[in-house]
Amino acid sequence: SVNPDLASERQTPSFSVEKLTVRLDGGAEHTRIRRAVVEAIECDPEFSRENQYFQSQNERYEAAVRKAVHLQKKMHEMGWTESGPEFKYIYRALSGDVAFLLHRIFMRSISVLGSDKQIAKWIPLATQFQLIGSYAQTELGHGTYLQGLETTAVFDITTQEFILNTPKISAMKWWPGDMGRSATHTVAFAQLYVHGKCYGVHPFIVQIRSLQDHSLCPGVTAGDIGPKMNFEHVDNGYLMLQNVRVPRENMLNKFCEVQPDGTYVRRGSQKINYFTMTTVRISLIEDEVIIPLMKACTIAIRYSVVRRQSKLKPGEQEAKILDYQTQQEKLLPPLAAAYAFHFLNDYLQELFDKGYREIQRKNFDTLPELHAFSSGFKAMVTQYCTSAVEICLRACGGHGYSLLSGLPSLYTKIVASCIYEGENTILLLQTARFLIKCFMAASAGQPVPPSVTYLAAVKPGKCPAKNKSDFLRPDIYTEAYQHMAVRLISSTAAKLQDLIQSGVKKHDAWNQCTVQLVQAAKAHCHYITVKNFAETVEKLETKAGIQKIMKHLCDLFALHGIFSNAGVFLHDGYISGAQMDMVTASYLDLLAVIRKDAVPLVDAFDFTDKSLNSALGSYDGQVYQRLYEWAQKSPTNKQTSPAYERYLKPLLHNTLSKL
Amino acid sequence: SVNPDLASERQTPSFSVEKLTVRLDGGAEHTRIRRAVVEAIECDPEFSRENQYFQSQNERYEAAVRKAVHLQKKMHEMGWTESGPEFKYIYRALSGDVAFLLHRIFMRSISVLGSDKQIAKWIPLATQFQLIGSYAQTELGHGTYLQGLETTAVFDITTQEFILNTPKISAMKWWPGDMGRSATHTVAFAQLYVHGKCYGVHPFIVQIRSLQDHSLCPGVTAGDIGPKMNFEHVDNGYLMLQNVRVPRENMLNKFCEVQPDGTYVRRGSQKINYFTMTTVRISLIEDEVIIPLMKACTIAIRYSVVRRQSKLKPGEQEAKILDYQTQQEKLLPPLAAAYAFHFLNDYLQELFDKGYREIQRKNFDTLPELHAFSSGFKAMVTQYCTSAVEICLRACGGHGYSLLSGLPSLYTKIVASCIYEGENTILLLQTARFLIKCFMAASAGQPVPPSVTYLAAVKPGKCPAKNKSDFLRPDIYTEAYQHMAVRLISSTAAKLQDLIQSGVKKHDAWNQCTVQLVQAAKAHCHYITVKNFAETVEKLETKAGIQKIMKHLCDLFALHGIFSNAGVFLHDGYISGAQMDMVTASYLDLLAVIRKDAVPLVDAFDFTDKSLNSALGSYDGQVYQRLYEWAQKSPTNKQTSPAYERYLKPLLHNTLSKL
């Protein structure tokens, strides 16, 4: 039975929830397939996440391996293949709680960086799990800056082998997933030396554990890096190599090869490699970032209509906490952002598919733009969603802090997305470098990529809004974002030039502008997100109330951004103080409007109770019953602690007679 | 041996580190006592936190109980008493990782709310641990709004007992520390009923477990609420009561009593009770909030001068990451905030000591101001420090994400401070209510408490700064903060009045202003913090370079606040766009200045390696060696996982022959 406080929220949605779900999935057929995959996985007890919050790191790892092995069987049974339409929903249905994800990266890197011969040898072995692969790039002392890697691979012409070494502790490979305890092989990145000359970082296939008994190979030291904030199911590992020899054929040599006599040959274009890095960043956004935010919104919003606290009006019963403006202010902008980023992701996917087709036709012109896009949006979306998940957690008060709410693990996992696949600040600076370059080109009348042509059309002017309803016009607020982005980019470009002209060295000048460059890159991404949301809404079907509610969310996303970053809009007077008051008024009005549809809007995400795995967020809203039932299953209740016999009893009994 | 990259940072500090430490402690004698306590505790292996990051919730609980019992012995041995000067350093030296903290709250509530007779009976028993107490207020369905509590206590005149019940699942007590597994007694809050009439919430001493064998008493259901984001060492519990009877004498009756015939008598002032709540909020700020931020800053800043990444200048070695402006932007404002809040805390302690003396003289006039202070500053400081600790964590990249850095547990613990002892949004609204009331009074020419007299002196005007160095004048920026606070309070008060005058009901109007009221309350607290920092700097001794570096930090704290909240300063033109550019320039200049002293500034916090318990933050900066050594101790390396035999071996061996 559904909690009546939750049921009442679903009585009169302003739109068709099912139709919105279908729109989010990209069509009814996708919805059908997704639900079938979720159903098949959730019905299978082998994939259960029921006791997840009670498990140790060892138990989590073991369960993830078990699931990964079972998944092979399941896929065979169900007729799912890696190229089939079901595949993309499997990982989501498992909530990523499965091993061998780096095995896939191992395979991808061989496919991309290996020769046809290498692909023919290794890919079938990996596909059939005759080995377990990992991907060893990051070192204890070296992350983003690949040129700094210290692991070496020296070519020994006499034996036709590479000799791999991690010469210092900081050279030790550190973090690779699946490597701490599972992997038998890895793609290790090392500085290539031939005849004493360094040729830079190259990838080598290295066996690290015996296929017979899984013992470490000679010269190999490896293990698990220990406890982390999350990812307990992954055996992130360390790896030291001492004179480990691999045959010449183990250097991945699609783009460069060491010939038997030691001649180093570079061939083909490395640009495709560069493109692979950018696609990884885009591909993680949906599963690792947007879906967790959608889950957090679902949990927090359902809880906020079930939880009652204090009285809003004297004499009435305690109010649902979602009826407080401050609670709406916490939860509805994240909800709007989840939709904004979903549509942004659609746009990015399309852009990258198009880019990929161009690249296959050997046209690399769009690469700089795609790289700038992938960097900036990865950074913006991960940062925004991480903050939003934290807001959801804190908005649920004490119960949000319980692991049983599901919110702490959503937070501790999503926060890693700000760091992995490129640390966000560094990524934003790469976007900024592209923007500055384009701005200079545009200013000089040169052509620039389509997404930044707006930089050429700098108009000073003022925002024309005359009343608060003007700020519900997408042209008005999109223009404001554009103006703000142009201003931040152009003023930072000017500062940079001024510094250089005043004699500051180029790299120092750049460093002195980086705080503002980061701000400018964010502004650009924010602008594109708002613009894309507004354009998407424009194209939605007007039936079933979907366009109308999406328009509200788009307005909210845009106005919340102006309200929260008021300084950058007010700075040059483009928006006046009086207009900012209109923005605030419209923004606060929208909160009350969207609040009415808040539950239908999260229902449309269509998460099952099992996928949320939350005592607060279930479809039926039976929060208190579930918290109590789940708590009773905790090991802290199941097993009698020795603490009583050892410590409490002697303490209490010492003087028991006196009571 | 100290890592040379860290050692070089300590060579030419601009001030005396030891003198600053003494200033932070409040005198050389305090520093001596603190170090002696820390030394005694850290030398004792019973208090070791060495394996903390590897322990399960059960192990953490047991260790906390063991430490609490051992602490009794230790205090006796060392001659430390609860009223001695050492006492306040014990909890800090243990990093709060000890049981029976709620036992102390149990005792405090009896001391404050109990009659002399009750105190005489219960306090000695509790002091000698002849019982273990807890404090059961929060319910599964009820937190901040105490009037909503559902537990009942019905007076039975025939037996002279109260009959306690938790009539619904939402009435179950939930969260009380020490209650899940340890406590024998608790102070339970329940709605008092006499002759069918409800007299509101009252406290009752209830025994929940046998003193003989620790079994649950008849009618009592209790247990542990399960895993949380942190606080694994605390057995937060649940409690259901079914017709549990306690004698009439067990209602704490200093302020109100039920007489044998059922007559309800209220006596004395309840205001002191209200004062107790406010002091708890202030007392937690140092240990639970500011010290964790100081630790996070120490870890992140030491790591940032040891970690090298990318090249700042071509041809040079990789740069220390603290040399990047963006890294300075992340870490130096939190460092400045740690100092700002330390001095704010000194100010609040003094204010509350003074208030306490007044109250002892039966003068309750300052209570509303103290309550508003405690609410607003608790909210502002916890919020700011939580964000700052998260920034420190993320600024350390992947290594910050390892539990071994110490940063994840600092974060997961400090985030709870935003929720407990009053949820921050609700607290800020209480401060806002006080501010609006004072603003109205001031506007009407009536007297207001000293801290808010500035509300009466509204001057429109403009910021007089003419160049970036003007923004290093405390009078200039303090005035800007004051202006901004007055503007936000007055404009929200005006909106509230307009709404009411236009016919909106009072409580609806209030709700419609709450987003802005929260902003206004924060602005007030921010202003007072800046003002207090500036006044403290003014009074510091000018010798030993301390005043100079503190002045830089004060400027940084103030300008960072203006830079990050530019909108509220620009809104009415008090600060112009051109002036905001000066603020930005001065702010960025300061980063480079303070960066030089960053390590000495965290060294002055004087944390031992054991108290930081961080592989990244130790005094010697041997980061990589320590990460590697600690990881090897992880249970994920110690014990062979059954995963290989069960899952991996069959998978790999299936087809081993083919390789």
Side-chain angles (χ1 to χ4, degrees):
Chain A
S1 70
V2 175
N3 184 315
D5 279 340
L6 182 51
S8 68
E9 300 283 335
R10 294 180 174 130
Q11 262 161 8
T12 51
S14 79
F15 63 93
S16 158
V17 173
E18 178 66 13
K19 286 214 170 112
L20 181 54
T21 299
V22 166
R23 176 64 186 75
L24 291 173
D25 282 324
E29 180 61 7
H30 286 108
T31 301
R32 194 192 60 73
I33 295 171
R34 178 176 56 74
R35 286 179 179 159
V37 169
V38 168
E39 166 81 7
I41 296 221
E42 292 188 353
C43 280
D44 188 332
E46 287 290 320
F47 293 121
S48 168
R49 291 162 66 222
E50 201 187 330
N51 292 313
Q52 183 172 307
Y53 302 128
F54 305 126
Q55 290 175 329
S56 70
Q57 196 181 354
N58 270 324
E59 289 163 340
R60 290 290 302 277
Y61 163 69
E62 195 181 319
V65 170
R66 189 192 69 228
K67 288 180 192 180
V69 172
H70 185 70
L71 182 60
Q72 298 308 310
K73 208 175 122 194
K74 190 83 182 177
M75 287 182 64
H76 184 74
E77 258 174 45
M78 301 295 295
W80 298 338
T81 64
E82 301 220 350
S83 54
E86 298 87 0
F87 193 70
K88 71 169 177 165
Y89 298 119
I90 296 174
Y91 178 82
R92 183 194 299 195
L94 293 166
S95 294
D97 202 23
V98 62
F100 305 157
L101 298 176
L102 269 289
H103 181 71
R104 295 181 55 75
I105 306 289
F106 172 84
M107 289 171 69
R108 191 190 298 175
S109 61
I110 293 173
S111 306
V112 174
L113 306 174
S115 64
D116 292 345
K117 201 173 149 192
Q118 288 171 324
I119 292 172
K121 174 177 178 185
W122 294 100
I123 295 299
L125 292 171
T127 306
Q128 294 157 50
F129 282 98
Q130 290 167 262
L131 56 81
I132 297 165
S134 178
Y135 180 87
Q137 180 178 302
T138 301
E139 296 176 356
L140 196 37
H142 306 277
T144 302
Y145 184 69
L146 286 190
Q147 290 161 266
L149 292 180
E150 294 180 289
T151 301
T152 57
V154 177
F155 185 58
D156 180 351
I157 198 163
T158 57
T159 62
Q160 293 287 302
E161 289 170 320
F162 295 104
I163 310 168
L164 280 93
N165 274 289
T166 45
K168 293 162 61 178
I169 188 161
S170 53
M172 193 187 310
K173 296 295 175 187
W174 195 268
W175 280 110
D178 294 335
M179 196 172 77
R181 311 171 77 173
S182 297
T184 61
H185 288 69
T186 192
V187 170
F189 286 79
Q191 302 283 359
L192 169 67
Y193 285 87
V194 186
H195 296 317
K197 184 179 166 191
C198 181
Y199 288 88
V201 174
H202 288 71
F204 301 84
I205 298 177
V206 183
Q207 180 169 357
I208 59 173
R209 287 189 179 90
S210 156
L211 288 167
Q212 202 60 49
D213 64 2
H214 219 231
S215 61
L216 291 170
C217 293
V220 171
T221 307
D224 188 278
I225 64 164
K228 298 146 293 186
M229 206 168 177
N230 195 312
F231 291 89
E232 297 98 334
H233 64 292
V234 179
D235 54 324
N236 295 97
Y238 59 81
L239 175 71
M240 278 189 289
L241 302 171
Q242 282 180 290
N243 296 319
V244 172
R245 288 171 171 267
V246 301
R248 194 179 62 88
E249 295 73 29
N250 277 25
M251 183 171 108
L252 293 178
N253 59 14
K254 181 167 186 172
F255 301 111
C256 37
E257 191 182 10
V258 175
Q259 292 179 338
D261 65 350
T263 308
Y264 179 82
V265 181
R266 181 172 285 276
R267 62 170 163 249
S269 166
Q270 288 230 2
K271 282 189 181 168
I272 180 77
N273 184 15
Y274 177 63
F275 183 67
T276 309
M277 275 167 53
T278 67
T279 54
V280 170
R281 267 179 217 132
I282 295 300
S283 67
L284 67 88
I285 289 180
E286 187 173 12
D287 282 345
E288 303 300 338
V289 190
I290 300 173
I291 297 221
L293 174 59
M294 288 174 167
K295 286 185 177 178
C297 288
T298 305
I299 295 167
I301 286 175
R302 286 186 183 158
Y303 175 69
S304 296
V305 298
V306 164
R307 176 70 171 192
R308 288 177 174 272
Q309 172 109 337
S310 298
K311 301 196 178 181
L312 199 48
K313 298 179 190 186
E316 288 192 357
Q317 75 171 134
E318 290 187 61
K320 292 176 174 182
I321 58 175
L322 195 59
D323 287 329
Y324 292 96
Q325 189 188 50
T326 47
Q327 188 76 353
Q328 294 164 13
E329 224 260 317
K330 289 176 192 176
L331 298 180
L332 302 183
L335 176 65
Y339 279 94
F341 295 144
H342 173 85
F343 294 127
L344 177 70
N345 186 55
D346 283 351
Y347 164 73
L348 293 174
Q349 293 301 335
E350 203 175 301
L351 202 73
F352 275 74
D353 289 348
K354 213 172 108 192
Y356 190 66
R357 286 193 299 273
E358 287 300 312
I359 280 158
Q360 283 177 316
R361 288 192 279 147
K362 306 279 178 205
N363 172 8
F364 298 104
D365 293 352
T366 59
L367 265 178
E369 189 185 13
L370 291 179
H371 178 69
F373 258 82
S374 79
S375 303
F377 285 113
K378 183 274 187 183
M380 182 193 67
V381 177
T382 56
Q383 164 99 41
Y384 197 111
C385 293
T386 298
S387 301
V389 169
E390 197 207 8
I391 289 168
C392 291
L393 185 154
R394 283 166 53 176
C396 294
H399 293 322
Y401 191 76
S402 165
L403 287 201
L404 307 180
S405 74
L407 292 165
S409 54
L410 285 172
Y411 175 78
T412 53
K413 194 170 184 196
I414 200 174
V415 71
S417 71
C418 298
I419 300 164
Y420 61 58
E421 294 301 334
E423 194 277 330
N424 280 355
T425 304
I426 296 170
L427 292 181
L428 286 166
L429 287 173
Q430 293 185 5
T431 306
R433 200 176 282 277
F434 168 81
L435 292 171
I436 295 289
K437 206 187 266 180
C438 292
F439 175 78
M440 304 301 241
S443 306
Q446 290 158 12
V448 292
S451 64
V452 286
T453 47
Y454 78 93
L455 292 175
V458 193
K459 294 168 279 185
K462 302 276 175 196
C463 172
K466 293 201 166 46
N467 52 55
K468 69 176 182 176
S469 62
D470 282 346
F471 279 104
L472 302 176
R473 283 171 45 192
D475 59 323
I476 296 277
Y477 55 69
T478 306
E479 185 81 17
Y481 273 93
Q482 185 189 97
H483 176 88
M484 181 266 302
V486 172
R487 185 181 63 74
L488 288 173
I489 295 163
S490 62
S491 68
T492 313
K495 177 180 170 186
L496 195 60
Q497 277 189 311
D498 286 354
L499 283 169
I500 292 168
Q501 273 163 17
S502 76
V504 178
K505 281 184 188 152
K506 223 170 167 180
H507 46 263
D508 283 332
W510 178 262
N511 191 28
Q512 286 171 37
C513 291
T514 47
V515 166
Q516 286 147 306
L517 286 164
V518 164
Q519 206 178 22
K522 281 183 190 168
H524 165 75
C525 294
H526 209 158
Y527 159 56
I528 301 287
T529 308
V530 168
K531 182 164 161 274
N532 178 68
F533 199 170
E535 287 170 358
T536 305
V537 168
E538 192 70 18
K539 284 179 264 168
L540 285 173
E541 52 172 342
T542 52
K543 278 181 294 182
I546 288 175
Q547 192 185 42
K548 196 174 164 204
I549 187 73
M550 288 299 117
K551 166 74 167 57
H552 289 321
L553 286 175
C554 180
D555 295 348
L556 182 71
F557 180 77
L559 298 188
H560 174 255
I562 300 177
F563 176 75
S564 324
N565 301 284
V568 289
F569 294 91
L570 290 164
H571 189 281
D572 64 346
Y574 181 82
I575 286 185
S576 68
Q579 285 174 321
M580 195 54 76
D581 290 338
M582 298 171 199
V583 167
T584 305
S586 263
Y587 163 59
L588 296 176
D589 288 350
L590 277 168
L591 291 178
V593 170
I594 294 168
R595 184 260 169 269
K596 294 184 200 125
D597 277 319
V599 168
L601 281 167
V602 298
D603 284 351
F605 297 145
D606 201 27
F607 292 115
T608 61
D609 284 0
K610 282 186 180 173
S611 75
L612 291 174
N613 205 12
S614 163
L616 304 191
S618 61
Y619 191 82
D620 66 7
Q622 297 296 357
V623 168
Y624 301 135
Q625 189 63 38
R626 206 161 271 116
L627 274 172
Y628 178 51
E629 280 168 14
W630 289 15
Q632 286 172 278
K633 292 193 287 182
S634 169
T636 47
N637 285 314
K638 273 185 194 157
Q639 111 193 23
T640 310
S641 160
Y644 174 66
E645 286 295 330
R646 275 193 210 151
Y647 309 113
L648 296 181
K649 193 172 166 184
L651 187 73
L652 292 166
H653 280 214
N654 250 345
T655 43
L656 188 66
S657 54
K658 294 189 205 160
L659 194 65
Chain B
S1 70
V2 175
N3 183 316
D5 279 340
L6 182 51
S8 68
E9 300 283 335
R10 294 179 172 131
Q11 261 159 11
T12 49
S14 78
F15 63 94
S16 158
V17 173
E18 178 67 12
K19 286 215 170 114
L20 180 54
T21 299
V22 167
R23 176 63 185 75
L24 290 173
D25 282 324
E29 180 61 6
H30 288 108
T31 300
R32 193 192 61 73
I33 295 172
R34 178 176 56 73
R35 285 178 178 160
V37 170
V38 168
E39 165 81 8
I41 296 220
E42 292 188 350
C43 279
D44 188 332
E46 287 291 320
F47 293 120
S48 168
R49 291 162 65 221
E50 199 186 331
N51 292 313
Q52 183 172 306
Y53 302 128
F54 306 125
Q55 289 175 329
S56 70
Q57 196 182 353
N58 270 325
E59 289 164 340
R60 290 290 301 277
Y61 163 69
E62 196 181 319
V65 170
R66 188 192 71 228
K67 288 180 192 179
V69 172
H70 185 70
L71 181 60
Q72 299 309 310
K73 206 175 124 193
K74 189 81 183 180
M75 286 181 65
H76 184 74
E77 258 174 45
M78 302 295 295
W80 297 339
T81 64
E82 302 220 350
S83 53
E86 298 87 0
F87 193 69
K88 69 170 180 165
Y89 298 118
I90 296 175
Y91 179 82
R92 182 193 300 196
L94 293 167
S95 294
D97 201 23
V98 63
F100 305 157
L101 298 176
L102 269 288
H103 181 71
R104 296 181 54 75
I105 306 289
F106 172 85
M107 289 171 68
R108 192 190 298 176
S109 60
I110 293 173
S111 306
V112 174
L113 306 174
S115 64
D116 292 345
K117 202 173 149 191
Q118 288 172 323
I119 292 171
K121 174 176 178 185
W122 294 100
I123 295 300
L125 292 172
T127 305
Q128 293 158 50
F129 282 97
Q130 290 168 263
L131 56 82
I132 297 164
S134 179
Y135 181 86
Q137 180 178 302
T138 301
E139 296 177 357
L140 196 38
H142 305 277
T144 304
Y145 184 67
L146 285 190
Q147 290 161 267
L149 293 180
E150 294 180 290
T151 301
T152 56
V154 176
F155 185 58
D156 179 351
I157 197 163
T158 58
T159 62
Q160 294 287 302
E161 290 171 319
F162 295 103
I163 310 169
L164 279 93
N165 273 290
T166 46
K168 293 162 62 178
I169 188 161
S170 54
M172 192 188 310
K173 295 296 176 186
W174 195 268
W175 280 111
D178 294 334
M179 197 174 75
R181 311 172 77 174
S182 297
T184 61
H185 289 67
T186 192
V187 170
F189 286 78
Q191 302 283 358
L192 170 67
Y193 284 87
V194 185
H195 296 316
K197 185 181 166 190
C198 181
Y199 289 89
V201 174
H202 288 72
F204 301 84
I205 298 177
V206 184
Q207 181 168 358
I208 59 172
R209 286 189 179 90
S210 156
L211 288 166
Q212 201 60 49
D213 64 3
H214 219 232
S215 61
L216 292 169
C217 293
V220 171
T221 306
D224 187 279
I225 64 164
K228 299 145 291 185
M229 205 167 177
N230 196 311
F231 291 89
E232 297 98 333
H233 63 292
V234 179
D235 55 325
N236 295 96
Y238 60 82
L239 174 71
M240 278 189 289
L241 302 171
Q242 283 180 290
N243 296 318
V244 172
R245 289 172 170 265
V246 302
R248 193 178 63 90
E249 294 74 29
N250 277 25
M251 184 173 108
L252 293 178
N253 59 13
K254 181 166 187 172
F255 301 110
C256 36
E257 191 181 9
V258 176
Q259 292 179 338
D261 66 349
T263 307
Y264 179 83
V265 181
R266 181 173 283 277
R267 61 171 163 247
S269 166
Q270 288 230 1
K271 281 189 181 168
I272 181 77
N273 184 15
Y274 176 65
F275 183 68
T276 308
M277 275 167 54
T278 66
T279 53
V280 170
R281 268 178 216 131
I282 294 301
S283 68
L284 67 87
I285 288 180
E286 187 173 11
D287 282 344
E288 303 299 337
V289 191
I290 299 173
I291 296 216
L293 174 59
M294 289 174 167
K295 286 184 178 179
C297 288
T298 305
I299 295 168
I301 286 174
R302 286 184 184 160
Y303 175 69
S304 296
V305 298
V306 164
R307 177 71 170 191
R308 288 177 174 271
Q309 172 108 336
S310 299
K311 301 195 177 180
L312 200 49
K313 299 182 189 182
E316 287 192 358
Q317 75 171 134
E318 289 187 62
K320 292 176 174 183
I321 58 176
L322 195 59
D323 287 330
Y324 292 97
Q325 190 188 49
T326 47
Q327 188 77 353
Q328 293 163 14
E329 223 257 321
K330 290 176 191 177
L331 298 181
L332 302 184
L335 176 65
Y339 279 94
F341 295 145
H342 174 86
F343 294 127
L344 177 70
N345 186 55
D346 283 351
Y347 163 73
L348 292 174
Q349 293 302 336
E350 203 175 301
L351 202 73
F352 274 73
D353 289 348
K354 213 171 108 192
Y356 190 65
R357 286 192 298 273
E358 286 301 312
I359 279 158
Q360 283 177 315
R361 287 192 279 147
K362 305 281 177 203
N363 172 10
F364 299 105
D365 293 352
T366 59
L367 265 179
E369 188 184 13
L370 292 179
H371 178 69
F373 258 82
S374 79
S375 303
F377 285 113
K378 183 273 188 185
M380 182 193 68
V381 177
T382 57
Q383 163 99 40
Y384 198 111
C385 293
T386 298
S387 301
V389 169
E390 197 208 7
I391 289 168
C392 291
L393 186 154
R394 283 165 56 174
C396 293
H399 294 321
Y401 191 76
S402 165
L403 287 200
L404 307 180
S405 74
L407 292 165
S409 54
L410 285 172
Y411 174 78
T412 53
K413 194 170 184 196
I414 200 174
V415 70
S417 71
C418 298
I419 301 164
Y420 61 58
E421 295 300 334
E423 195 277 330
N424 279 355
T425 305
I426 295 170
L427 292 182
L428 286 166
L429 287 172
Q430 293 185 4
T431 305
R433 201 176 282 276
F434 168 81
L435 292 171
I436 295 289
K437 205 187 267 180
C438 292
F439 176 76
M440 304 300 241
S443 305
Q446 290 159 11
V448 292
S451 64
V452 287
T453 46
Y454 78 93
L455 292 175
V458 193
K459 294 168 277 183
K462 303 275 175 195
C463 172
K466 293 202 166 45
N467 51 55
K468 68 175 184 176
S469 61
D470 281 346
F471 278 105
L472 302 177
R473 282 170 47 192
D475 59 324
I476 295 277
Y477 55 68
T478 306
E479 185 81 17
Y481 273 94
Q482 185 189 98
H483 177 88
M484 181 267 300
V486 172
R487 186 181 63 75
L488 288 173
I489 294 163
S490 62
S491 68
T492 313
K495 177 181 169 186
L496 195 59
Q497 276 189 312
D498 286 354
L499 283 169
I500 292 168
Q501 273 164 17
S502 74
V504 178
K505 280 184 188 151
K506 223 171 168 181
H507 45 264
D508 283 331
W510 178 262
N511 192 27
Q512 285 172 38
C513 292
T514 46
V515 166
Q516 287 147 305
L517 286 163
V518 164
Q519 206 177 22
K522 281 183 192 167
H524 166 75
C525 294
H526 209 158
Y527 159 56
I528 301 287
T529 308
V530 167
K531 182 165 160 274
N532 179 67
F533 199 170
E535 287 169 0
T536 305
V537 168
E538 191 71 17
K539 284 178 263 166
L540 286 172
E541 52 172 342
T542 52
K543 276 182 295 183
I546 288 175
Q547 192 185 42
K548 196 173 166 206
I549 187 72
M550 289 298 120
K551 166 75 168 57
H552 288 322
L553 286 175
C554 180
D555 295 348
L556 183 71
F557 180 77
L559 297 189
H560 173 256
I562 299 177
F563 176 75
S564 324
N565 301 285
V568 289
F569 293 92
L570 290 164
H571 189 281
D572 64 346
Y574 181 81
I575 286 184
S576 68
Q579 285 173 322
M580 194 55 76
D581 290 339
M582 297 170 199
V583 167
T584 305
S586 264
Y587 163 59
L588 295 176
D589 289 349
L590 277 168
L591 291 178
V593 171
I594 294 167
R595 183 260 169 270
K596 293 184 202 126
D597 277 319
V599 168
L601 281 167
V602 298
D603 284 350
F605 296 145
D606 201 27
F607 290 116
T608 62
D609 284 0
K610 282 187 182 174
S611 74
L612 291 174
N613 205 12
S614 163
L616 304 191
S618 61
Y619 191 82
D620 66 8
Q622 296 297 356
V623 168
Y624 301 136
Q625 189 63 37
R626 206 161 271 115
L627 274 172
Y628 177 52
E629 281 168 13
W630 288 15
Q632 286 172 279
K633 291 193 287 180
S634 168
T636 47
N637 285 315
K638 273 185 193 159
Q639 110 192 25
T640 310
S641 161
Y644 174 65
E645 286 295 330
R646 275 194 211 151
Y647 309 112
L648 296 181
K649 193 172 167 184
L651 187 74
L652 292 166
H653 280 214
N654 251 346
T655 44
L656 188 67
S657 55
K658 294 189 204 159
L659 193 66

